Amino acid sequence: MKTVIKGYKYRIYPTDEQKELINKTFGCSRFVHNYFLAMKIELYKTEQKSLSYSKCSSLLTELKKEKEWLKEVDKFALQNSLKDLNTAYQNFFREHKKGNTNQGFPKFKSKKNNYKSYRTNFTNNNIEIDFEKGQIKLPKLKWIKCKTHRKFTGKILSVTISQVPSGKYYVSLNVECEHEELPKANNSIGLDLGISDLLITSNGQTFENNKLTYKYEKKLAKLQRQLSKKQKGSKNFNKQRIKIAKLHEKITNIRVDNLHKISSQIVKENQFIFSEDLNIKGMIKNPKLAKSIQDVSWYELIRQLQYKSKWNNRVYHKVDRFYASSQICNNCNYKNEKIKNLSIRKWTCPECGTYHNRDINASINILNQGLKDLELAV
Ligand SMILES: [Zn+2]
């Protein structure tokens, strides 16, 4: 047994009164974020100084005396808003120093953003969940009706309350649980994150990403075309927007479920799991690909593989500096420069005559390199 932190997400059904308070908390959290972001920027401009979290925190206490309405909402929500701003700030400067320009500067939050959330913390039984009655108790809100489809036993650490673009409300709980590890597995596997398929393994297994959601994506495109003909801000426009948001949610759910199935299977069957480093993969540009979608799936899959490996005592290792994984023959190590061309799916090694499927060959190379990295190669 091992203590791990697991996430549980449930839909909640707040009353009108509760909705009002939740929306107010979203607003206050956003206010705190924007207020201190502006202050940080100003202070840096005028005095080249930074503002620490503890300084912000004591300023927030002062601010609450001045703006009484901030006291009406969950105090943890405001503190966490400040903490998250601070983290975003630190991440930006840390990555910037390293020369990584992907990490954006923290942004001001807009009222118009259709995804809203705040996070609260557990203390003195301020949060409780009742699986029998299907309800959850949250700070300031008291009991809210909740669809508790998955039970857990453990200690709740924090809860994020969110409203998604279709208008539905959710809670995401971080729970400290006891986890029973999977028995040790005997296999090792290399994973090639594919362009046309989501994933190809060194065993030759292919996992798809798009087929499951293809019909919904076509429907989505149709709904979006219809939306473009409606007058922005009108009643019908808004109705259509919600329809689109609901379909988006459905597609995302199917996709994430699929990724869970894949990552669970891989972790169950293998003791050593190897993949490429995504920063390298990201350099490949393919205009034909709905790249953002594929990227999101890759990152989510890696995230799941990482934590599931950790929970079950697996070794998940990223192979880096592996630009040429598809060009090298896994049998004789001959480097075939022609394979740079992404349209070549199958090739025969001119040196040893082995016939290759491009992606399977790449994943075998990843497996071999991973085993070498960990000095497990025989
Ligand atoms: Zn060869």
Side-chain angles (χ1 to χ4, degrees), residues 4-56:
V4 301
I5 294 167
K6 291 190 179 180
Y8 292 89
K9 188 175 177 180
Y10 306 112
R11 187 165 172 198
I12 51 168
Y13 303 86
T15 62
D16 286 346
E17 210 180 323
Q18 287 169 330
K19 274 184 196 167
E20 205 188 312
L21 188 53
I22 291 174
N23 291 336
K24 208 181 240 179
T25 317
F26 290 148
C28 289
S29 302
R30 188 175 59 233
F31 173 83
V32 166
H33 174 93
N34 290 344
Y35 182 90
F36 285 98
L37 179 56
M39 191 183 266
K40 276 171 179 275
I41 292 171
E42 188 57 32
L43 196 71
Y44 191 74
K45 264 191 201 158
T46 53
E47 301 175 40
Q48 280 78 52
K49 272 187 188 155
S50 60
L51 202 57
S52 70
Y53 169 72
S54 58
K55 181 72 187 148
C56 287

Short mmCIF file of all heavy atoms in Angstrom, two decimals, residues 4-56:
data_model
loop_
_atom_site.label_atom_id
_atom_site.label_comp_id
_atom_site.label_asym_id
_atom_site.label_seq_id
_atom_site.Cartn_x
_atom_site.Cartn_y
_atom_site.Cartn_z
N VAL A 4 -1.16 8.04 -2.01
CA VAL A 4 -1.07 8.85 -3.23
C VAL A 4 -2.19 9.90 -3.21
O VAL A 4 -3.15 9.78 -2.45
CB VAL A 4 -1.19 8.00 -4.51
CG1 VAL A 4 -0.10 6.96 -4.58
CG2 VAL A 4 -2.56 7.33 -4.61
N ILE A 5 -2.04 10.91 -4.07
CA ILE A 5 -3.11 11.90 -4.19
C ILE A 5 -3.88 11.65 -5.48
O ILE A 5 -3.30 11.65 -6.57
CB ILE A 5 -2.53 13.33 -4.13
CG1 ILE A 5 -1.93 13.57 -2.74
CG2 ILE A 5 -3.62 14.37 -4.43
CD1 ILE A 5 -1.08 14.80 -2.64
N LYS A 6 -5.17 11.40 -5.32
CA LYS A 6 -6.00 11.12 -6.49
C LYS A 6 -7.01 12.23 -6.71
O LYS A 6 -7.39 12.91 -5.76
CB LYS A 6 -6.73 9.79 -6.31
CG LYS A 6 -5.82 8.58 -6.33
CD LYS A 6 -6.58 7.28 -6.38
CE LYS A 6 -5.58 6.12 -6.43
NZ LYS A 6 -6.23 4.81 -6.49
N GLY A 7 -7.42 12.38 -7.95
CA GLY A 7 -8.41 13.40 -8.27
C GLY A 7 -9.78 12.78 -8.51
O GLY A 7 -9.89 11.73 -9.16
N TYR A 8 -10.82 13.39 -7.98
CA TYR A 8 -12.20 12.95 -8.23
C TYR A 8 -13.02 14.16 -8.67
O TYR A 8 -12.98 15.19 -8.01
CB TYR A 8 -12.81 12.34 -6.97
CG TYR A 8 -12.16 11.04 -6.57
CD1 TYR A 8 -11.06 11.02 -5.73
CD2 TYR A 8 -12.64 9.84 -7.08
CE1 TYR A 8 -10.44 9.83 -5.39
CE2 TYR A 8 -12.02 8.64 -6.74
CZ TYR A 8 -10.92 8.65 -5.91
OH TYR A 8 -10.31 7.47 -5.58
N LYS A 9 -13.72 13.98 -9.78
CA LYS A 9 -14.50 15.09 -10.31
C LYS A 9 -15.98 14.72 -10.35
O LYS A 9 -16.33 13.65 -10.85
CB LYS A 9 -14.00 15.43 -11.71
CG LYS A 9 -14.59 16.70 -12.28
CD LYS A 9 -13.96 17.03 -13.62
CE LYS A 9 -14.59 18.25 -14.23
NZ LYS A 9 -13.99 18.59 -15.52
N TYR A 10 -16.81 15.58 -9.81
CA TYR A 10 -18.25 15.33 -9.81
C TYR A 10 -19.01 16.57 -10.28
O TYR A 10 -18.58 17.69 -10.04
CB TYR A 10 -18.74 15.02 -8.38
CG TYR A 10 -18.00 13.91 -7.68
CD1 TYR A 10 -17.20 14.17 -6.57
CD2 TYR A 10 -18.12 12.59 -8.12
CE1 TYR A 10 -16.53 13.14 -5.91
CE2 TYR A 10 -17.45 11.57 -7.47
CZ TYR A 10 -16.66 11.85 -6.37
OH TYR A 10 -15.99 10.83 -5.72
N ARG A 11 -20.15 16.31 -10.88
CA ARG A 11 -21.01 17.43 -11.24
C ARG A 11 -21.80 17.84 -10.00
O ARG A 11 -22.27 17.00 -9.26
CB ARG A 11 -21.95 17.02 -12.37
CG ARG A 11 -22.71 18.21 -12.88
CD ARG A 11 -23.37 17.94 -14.20
NE ARG A 11 -24.23 19.06 -14.50
CZ ARG A 11 -25.19 19.03 -15.39
NH1 ARG A 11 -25.42 17.94 -16.08
NH2 ARG A 11 -25.92 20.10 -15.62
N ILE A 12 -21.96 19.14 -9.82
CA ILE A 12 -22.79 19.62 -8.70
C ILE A 12 -23.96 20.42 -9.24
O ILE A 12 -23.92 20.94 -10.36
CB ILE A 12 -21.99 20.49 -7.69
CG1 ILE A 12 -21.21 21.61 -8.39
CG2 ILE A 12 -21.07 19.63 -6.84
CD1 ILE A 12 -20.65 22.67 -7.45
N TYR A 13 -25.04 20.49 -8.42
CA TYR A 13 -26.27 21.18 -8.82
C TYR A 13 -26.62 22.22 -7.76
O TYR A 13 -27.48 22.00 -6.92
CB TYR A 13 -27.40 20.15 -8.96
CG TYR A 13 -27.07 19.07 -9.96
CD1 TYR A 13 -26.35 17.93 -9.57
CD2 TYR A 13 -27.45 19.17 -11.30
CE1 TYR A 13 -26.03 16.93 -10.48
CE2 TYR A 13 -27.13 18.18 -12.22
CZ TYR A 13 -26.42 17.07 -11.79
OH TYR A 13 -26.09 16.09 -12.70
N PRO A 14 -25.93 23.37 -7.82
CA PRO A 14 -26.20 24.39 -6.79
C PRO A 14 -27.60 25.02 -6.96
O PRO A 14 -28.12 25.06 -8.08
CB PRO A 14 -25.10 25.44 -7.05
CG PRO A 14 -24.56 25.17 -8.40
CD PRO A 14 -24.89 23.77 -8.76
N THR A 15 -28.17 25.47 -5.85
CA THR A 15 -29.42 26.23 -5.92
C THR A 15 -29.10 27.61 -6.47
O THR A 15 -27.92 27.99 -6.58
CB THR A 15 -30.02 26.41 -4.51
OG1 THR A 15 -29.07 27.17 -3.73
CG2 THR A 15 -30.29 25.08 -3.84
N ASP A 16 -30.13 28.39 -6.78
CA ASP A 16 -29.90 29.74 -7.32
C ASP A 16 -29.07 30.58 -6.34
O ASP A 16 -28.19 31.32 -6.75
CB ASP A 16 -31.23 30.43 -7.61
CG ASP A 16 -31.88 29.86 -8.86
OD1 ASP A 16 -31.18 29.15 -9.61
OD2 ASP A 16 -33.08 30.11 -9.08
N GLU A 17 -29.38 30.39 -5.08
CA GLU A 17 -28.67 31.15 -4.06
C GLU A 17 -27.18 30.76 -4.02
O GLU A 17 -26.30 31.62 -3.94
CB GLU A 17 -29.31 30.82 -2.70
CG GLU A 17 -29.24 31.94 -1.69
CD GLU A 17 -29.89 31.49 -0.38
OE1 GLU A 17 -30.91 30.75 -0.44
OE2 GLU A 17 -29.37 31.84 0.69
N GLN A 18 -26.95 29.46 -4.10
CA GLN A 18 -25.56 28.96 -4.10
C GLN A 18 -24.83 29.40 -5.37
O GLN A 18 -23.66 29.76 -5.32
CB GLN A 18 -25.56 27.43 -3.98
CG GLN A 18 -25.92 26.96 -2.59
CD GLN A 18 -26.20 25.47 -2.52
OE1 GLN A 18 -26.66 24.87 -3.49
NE2 GLN A 18 -25.92 24.85 -1.38
N LYS A 19 -25.55 29.36 -6.48
CA LYS A 19 -24.94 29.82 -7.74
C LYS A 19 -24.46 31.26 -7.62
O LYS A 19 -23.38 31.62 -8.08
CB LYS A 19 -25.97 29.76 -8.88
CG LYS A 19 -26.07 28.42 -9.56
CD LYS A 19 -27.04 28.49 -10.71
CE LYS A 19 -27.44 27.09 -11.14
NZ LYS A 19 -28.60 27.10 -12.03
N GLU A 20 -25.29 32.08 -6.98
CA GLU A 20 -24.95 33.49 -6.83
C GLU A 20 -23.65 33.65 -6.05
O GLU A 20 -22.77 34.42 -6.43
CB GLU A 20 -26.10 34.19 -6.13
CG GLU A 20 -26.16 35.68 -6.44
CD GLU A 20 -27.19 36.39 -5.59
OE1 GLU A 20 -28.34 35.89 -5.50
OE2 GLU A 20 -26.83 37.43 -5.01
N LEU A 21 -23.55 32.88 -4.96
CA LEU A 21 -22.34 32.98 -4.14
C LEU A 21 -21.12 32.40 -4.88
O LEU A 21 -20.02 32.96 -4.79
CB LEU A 21 -22.56 32.26 -2.80
CG LEU A 21 -21.44 32.42 -1.76
CD1 LEU A 21 -21.11 33.90 -1.51
CD2 LEU A 21 -21.82 31.75 -0.45
N ILE A 22 -21.31 31.33 -5.61
CA ILE A 22 -20.20 30.76 -6.40
C ILE A 22 -19.72 31.79 -7.41
O ILE A 22 -18.52 32.05 -7.54
CB ILE A 22 -20.63 29.45 -7.10
CG1 ILE A 22 -20.86 28.33 -6.08
CG2 ILE A 22 -19.56 29.01 -8.11
CD1 ILE A 22 -21.43 27.04 -6.67
N ASN A 23 -20.68 32.39 -8.11
CA ASN A 23 -20.31 33.39 -9.12
C ASN A 23 -19.60 34.59 -8.50
O ASN A 23 -18.66 35.14 -9.08
CB ASN A 23 -21.54 33.84 -9.91
CG ASN A 23 -22.07 32.72 -10.79
OD1 ASN A 23 -21.32 31.80 -11.16
ND2 ASN A 23 -23.34 32.76 -11.11
N LYS A 24 -20.05 34.96 -7.32
CA LYS A 24 -19.40 36.06 -6.61
C LYS A 24 -17.95 35.67 -6.27
O LYS A 24 -17.04 36.49 -6.37
CB LYS A 24 -20.18 36.33 -5.33
CG LYS A 24 -20.08 37.76 -4.84
CD LYS A 24 -20.86 37.91 -3.55
CE LYS A 24 -21.98 38.93 -3.69
NZ LYS A 24 -22.76 39.08 -2.45
N THR A 25 -17.76 34.42 -5.88
CA THR A 25 -16.40 33.96 -5.52
C THR A 25 -15.50 33.94 -6.76
O THR A 25 -14.33 34.32 -6.67
CB THR A 25 -16.46 32.56 -4.87
OG1 THR A 25 -17.54 32.53 -3.94
CG2 THR A 25 -15.17 32.25 -4.14
N PHE A 26 -16.06 33.51 -7.89
CA PHE A 26 -15.28 33.59 -9.15
C PHE A 26 -14.84 35.04 -9.36
O PHE A 26 -13.68 35.32 -9.67
CB PHE A 26 -16.14 33.18 -10.36
CG PHE A 26 -16.50 31.73 -10.43
CD1 PHE A 26 -17.72 31.34 -11.00
CD2 PHE A 26 -15.64 30.74 -9.97
CE1 PHE A 26 -18.06 29.99 -11.11
CE2 PHE A 26 -15.98 29.40 -10.07
CZ PHE A 26 -17.20 29.03 -10.64
N GLY A 27 -15.79 35.94 -9.21
CA GLY A 27 -15.53 37.37 -9.45
C GLY A 27 -14.47 37.92 -8.51
O GLY A 27 -13.55 38.62 -8.94
N CYS A 28 -14.58 37.59 -7.22
CA CYS A 28 -13.62 38.10 -6.23
C CYS A 28 -12.22 37.51 -6.48
O CYS A 28 -11.21 38.21 -6.34
CB CYS A 28 -14.07 37.76 -4.82
SG CYS A 28 -15.49 38.72 -4.29
N SER A 29 -12.16 36.23 -6.84
CA SER A 29 -10.86 35.60 -7.13
C SER A 29 -10.21 36.28 -8.33
O SER A 29 -9.00 36.53 -8.34
CB SER A 29 -11.02 34.12 -7.47
OG SER A 29 -11.66 33.45 -6.43
N ARG A 30 -11.04 36.56 -9.33
CA ARG A 30 -10.54 37.24 -10.52
C ARG A 30 -10.06 38.65 -10.15
O ARG A 30 -9.00 39.10 -10.60
CB ARG A 30 -11.67 37.33 -11.56
CG ARG A 30 -11.23 37.85 -12.91
CD ARG A 30 -12.38 37.78 -13.91
NE ARG A 30 -13.53 38.54 -13.46
CZ ARG A 30 -14.77 38.06 -13.36
NH1 ARG A 30 -15.03 36.81 -13.67
NH2 ARG A 30 -15.74 38.83 -12.93
N PHE A 31 -10.83 39.34 -9.30
CA PHE A 31 -10.46 40.68 -8.87
C PHE A 31 -9.09 40.67 -8.19
O PHE A 31 -8.22 41.48 -8.50
CB PHE A 31 -11.52 41.27 -7.93
CG PHE A 31 -11.12 42.58 -7.33
CD1 PHE A 31 -11.30 43.77 -8.03
CD2 PHE A 31 -10.53 42.62 -6.08
CE1 PHE A 31 -10.90 44.98 -7.48
CE2 PHE A 31 -10.11 43.83 -5.52
CZ PHE A 31 -10.30 45.00 -6.22
N VAL A 32 -8.91 39.72 -7.26
CA VAL A 32 -7.64 39.61 -6.51
C VAL A 32 -6.48 39.36 -7.48
O VAL A 32 -5.43 39.99 -7.40
CB VAL A 32 -7.73 38.49 -5.44
CG1 VAL A 32 -6.35 38.12 -4.91
CG2 VAL A 32 -8.64 38.94 -4.31
N HIS A 33 -6.70 38.45 -8.42
CA HIS A 33 -5.68 38.13 -9.41
C HIS A 33 -5.28 39.39 -10.20
O HIS A 33 -4.10 39.73 -10.27
CB HIS A 33 -6.21 37.06 -10.37
CG HIS A 33 -5.31 36.76 -11.52
ND1 HIS A 33 -4.38 35.74 -11.49
CD2 HIS A 33 -5.19 37.34 -12.75
CE1 HIS A 33 -3.73 35.72 -12.64
NE2 HIS A 33 -4.21 36.67 -13.42
N ASN A 34 -6.27 40.07 -10.73
CA ASN A 34 -5.99 41.24 -11.57
C ASN A 34 -5.39 42.39 -10.78
O ASN A 34 -4.48 43.08 -11.25
CB ASN A 34 -7.27 41.69 -12.28
CG ASN A 34 -7.71 40.70 -13.35
OD1 ASN A 34 -6.93 39.84 -13.76
ND2 ASN A 34 -8.95 40.81 -13.79
N TYR A 35 -5.89 42.59 -9.57
CA TYR A 35 -5.42 43.67 -8.72
C TYR A 35 -3.92 43.52 -8.42
O TYR A 35 -3.14 44.44 -8.57
CB TYR A 35 -6.23 43.66 -7.42
CG TYR A 35 -5.91 44.77 -6.44
CD1 TYR A 35 -6.58 45.99 -6.49
CD2 TYR A 35 -4.95 44.57 -5.45
CE1 TYR A 35 -6.28 47.00 -5.59
CE2 TYR A 35 -4.64 45.57 -4.55
CZ TYR A 35 -5.31 46.79 -4.62
OH TYR A 35 -5.01 47.78 -3.72
N PHE A 36 -3.55 42.30 -8.02
CA PHE A 36 -2.14 42.09 -7.65
C PHE A 36 -1.22 41.95 -8.86
O PHE A 36 -0.06 42.31 -8.79
CB PHE A 36 -2.00 40.91 -6.67
CG PHE A 36 -2.45 41.28 -5.30
CD1 PHE A 36 -3.72 40.95 -4.86
CD2 PHE A 36 -1.63 42.02 -4.46
CE1 PHE A 36 -4.15 41.32 -3.59
CE2 PHE A 36 -2.05 42.40 -3.19
CZ PHE A 36 -3.33 42.05 -2.75
N LEU A 37 -1.77 41.47 -9.96
CA LEU A 37 -0.97 41.42 -11.19
C LEU A 37 -0.61 42.84 -11.61
O LEU A 37 0.55 43.14 -11.92
CB LEU A 37 -1.73 40.69 -12.30
CG LEU A 37 -1.02 40.58 -13.65
CD1 LEU A 37 0.35 39.92 -13.52
CD2 LEU A 37 -1.88 39.79 -14.65
N ALA A 38 -1.61 43.72 -11.58
CA ALA A 38 -1.37 45.13 -11.95
C ALA A 38 -0.34 45.76 -11.01
O ALA A 38 0.57 46.47 -11.44
CB ALA A 38 -2.68 45.91 -11.90
N MET A 39 -0.48 45.44 -9.72
CA MET A 39 0.45 46.00 -8.73
C MET A 39 1.88 45.50 -8.97
O MET A 39 2.84 46.27 -8.91
CB MET A 39 -0.02 45.59 -7.34
CG MET A 39 0.70 46.31 -6.23
SD MET A 39 0.16 45.70 -4.63
CE MET A 39 -1.12 46.86 -4.25
N LYS A 40 2.01 44.22 -9.25
CA LYS A 40 3.33 43.64 -9.51
C LYS A 40 3.98 44.29 -10.74
O LYS A 40 5.16 44.63 -10.72
CB LYS A 40 3.20 42.13 -9.78
CG LYS A 40 3.16 41.27 -8.52
CD LYS A 40 2.83 39.83 -8.91
CE LYS A 40 2.77 38.88 -7.74
NZ LYS A 40 4.10 38.34 -7.36
N ILE A 41 3.17 44.46 -11.78
CA ILE A 41 3.70 45.05 -13.01
C ILE A 41 4.16 46.48 -12.76
O ILE A 41 5.26 46.89 -13.15
CB ILE A 41 2.64 45.01 -14.14
CG1 ILE A 41 2.37 43.55 -14.56
CG2 ILE A 41 3.08 45.83 -15.35
CD1 ILE A 41 1.20 43.37 -15.49
N GLU A 42 3.32 47.23 -12.04
CA GLU A 42 3.61 48.63 -11.76
C GLU A 42 4.90 48.77 -10.94
O GLU A 42 5.76 49.56 -11.26
CB GLU A 42 2.40 49.23 -11.01
CG GLU A 42 2.47 50.73 -10.81
CD GLU A 42 2.60 51.51 -12.12
OE1 GLU A 42 2.06 51.02 -13.13
OE2 GLU A 42 3.26 52.57 -12.11
N LEU A 43 4.99 47.96 -9.91
CA LEU A 43 6.15 48.03 -9.02
C LEU A 43 7.44 47.68 -9.76
O LEU A 43 8.49 48.25 -9.52
CB LEU A 43 5.95 47.08 -7.83
CG LEU A 43 6.88 47.34 -6.65
CD1 LEU A 43 6.50 48.63 -5.95
CD2 LEU A 43 6.83 46.18 -5.67
N TYR A 44 7.31 46.75 -10.68
CA TYR A 44 8.48 46.36 -11.45
C TYR A 44 8.91 47.48 -12.40
O TYR A 44 10.09 47.78 -12.55
CB TYR A 44 8.21 45.07 -12.23
CG TYR A 44 9.47 44.50 -12.82
CD1 TYR A 44 10.40 43.84 -12.00
CD2 TYR A 44 9.76 44.64 -14.17
CE1 TYR A 44 11.58 43.35 -12.52
CE2 TYR A 44 10.94 44.14 -14.70
CZ TYR A 44 11.85 43.49 -13.87
OH TYR A 44 13.01 43.01 -14.39
N LYS A 45 7.89 48.11 -13.01
CA LYS A 45 8.17 49.21 -13.94
C LYS A 45 8.83 50.39 -13.25
O LYS A 45 9.78 50.96 -13.74
CB LYS A 45 6.85 49.70 -14.56
CG LYS A 45 6.54 49.09 -15.92
CD LYS A 45 5.37 49.85 -16.52
CE LYS A 45 4.68 49.05 -17.59
NZ LYS A 45 3.30 49.52 -17.79
N THR A 46 8.27 50.78 -12.11
CA THR A 46 8.74 51.99 -11.45
C THR A 46 9.99 51.77 -10.61
O THR A 46 10.87 52.62 -10.59
CB THR A 46 7.62 52.59 -10.56
OG1 THR A 46 7.16 51.55 -9.68
CG2 THR A 46 6.47 53.12 -11.40
N GLU A 47 10.05 50.65 -9.92
CA GLU A 47 11.19 50.46 -9.02
C GLU A 47 12.01 49.20 -9.27
O GLU A 47 12.91 48.88 -8.48
CB GLU A 47 10.69 50.44 -7.56
CG GLU A 47 9.96 51.72 -7.16
CD GLU A 47 9.37 51.61 -5.75
OE1 GLU A 47 10.06 51.04 -4.88
OE2 GLU A 47 8.25 52.07 -5.55
N GLN A 48 11.67 48.47 -10.35
CA GLN A 48 12.34 47.19 -10.66
C GLN A 48 12.34 46.24 -9.47
O GLN A 48 13.31 45.55 -9.20
CB GLN A 48 13.79 47.41 -11.14
CG GLN A 48 13.92 47.82 -12.58
CD GLN A 48 13.61 49.29 -12.75
OE1 GLN A 48 14.17 50.13 -12.07
NE2 GLN A 48 12.70 49.59 -13.68
N LYS A 49 11.23 46.28 -8.72
CA LYS A 49 11.14 45.43 -7.55
C LYS A 49 10.06 44.37 -7.75
O LYS A 49 9.11 44.59 -8.47
CB LYS A 49 10.77 46.26 -6.32
CG LYS A 49 11.99 46.84 -5.63
CD LYS A 49 11.56 47.51 -4.34
CE LYS A 49 12.70 48.28 -3.70
NZ LYS A 49 12.20 49.34 -2.84
N SER A 50 10.25 43.24 -7.07
CA SER A 50 9.20 42.23 -7.12
C SER A 50 8.46 42.20 -5.78
O SER A 50 8.93 42.74 -4.78
CB SER A 50 9.78 40.87 -7.45
OG SER A 50 10.71 40.51 -6.47
N LEU A 51 7.28 41.59 -5.83
CA LEU A 51 6.41 41.58 -4.67
C LEU A 51 6.21 40.12 -4.25
O LEU A 51 5.69 39.33 -5.02
CB LEU A 51 5.08 42.21 -5.10
CG LEU A 51 4.15 42.80 -4.06
CD1 LEU A 51 4.84 43.87 -3.24
CD2 LEU A 51 2.93 43.39 -4.76
N SER A 52 6.62 39.79 -3.05
CA SER A 52 6.55 38.38 -2.62
C SER A 52 5.12 37.98 -2.28
O SER A 52 4.24 38.82 -2.08
CB SER A 52 7.42 38.17 -1.39
OG SER A 52 6.83 38.82 -0.29
N TYR A 53 4.91 36.66 -2.17
CA TYR A 53 3.58 36.16 -1.81
C TYR A 53 3.17 36.64 -0.42
O TYR A 53 2.04 37.10 -0.22
CB TYR A 53 3.54 34.63 -1.86
CG TYR A 53 2.28 34.08 -1.26
CD1 TYR A 53 1.06 34.22 -1.92
CD2 TYR A 53 2.29 33.49 0.00
CE1 TYR A 53 -0.12 33.77 -1.35
CE2 TYR A 53 1.12 33.03 0.57
CZ TYR A 53 -0.08 33.17 -0.10
OH TYR A 53 -1.25 32.73 0.47
N SER A 54 4.09 36.59 0.53
CA SER A 54 3.72 36.98 1.90
C SER A 54 3.37 38.47 1.98
O SER A 54 2.46 38.87 2.71
CB SER A 54 4.81 36.61 2.89
OG SER A 54 6.02 37.23 2.52
N LYS A 55 4.07 39.27 1.19
CA LYS A 55 3.76 40.71 1.14
C LYS A 55 2.35 40.90 0.54
O LYS A 55 1.53 41.66 1.09
CB LYS A 55 4.82 41.43 0.30
CG LYS A 55 4.65 42.93 0.18
CD LYS A 55 4.97 43.66 1.49
CE LYS A 55 4.61 45.14 1.38
NZ LYS A 55 4.18 45.75 2.62
N CYS A 56 2.10 40.21 -0.57
CA CYS A 56 0.77 40.29 -1.20
C CYS A 56 -0.31 39.87 -0.21
O CYS A 56 -1.38 40.47 -0.13
CB CYS A 56 0.69 39.37 -2.42
SG CYS A 56 1.59 39.96 -3.84
#
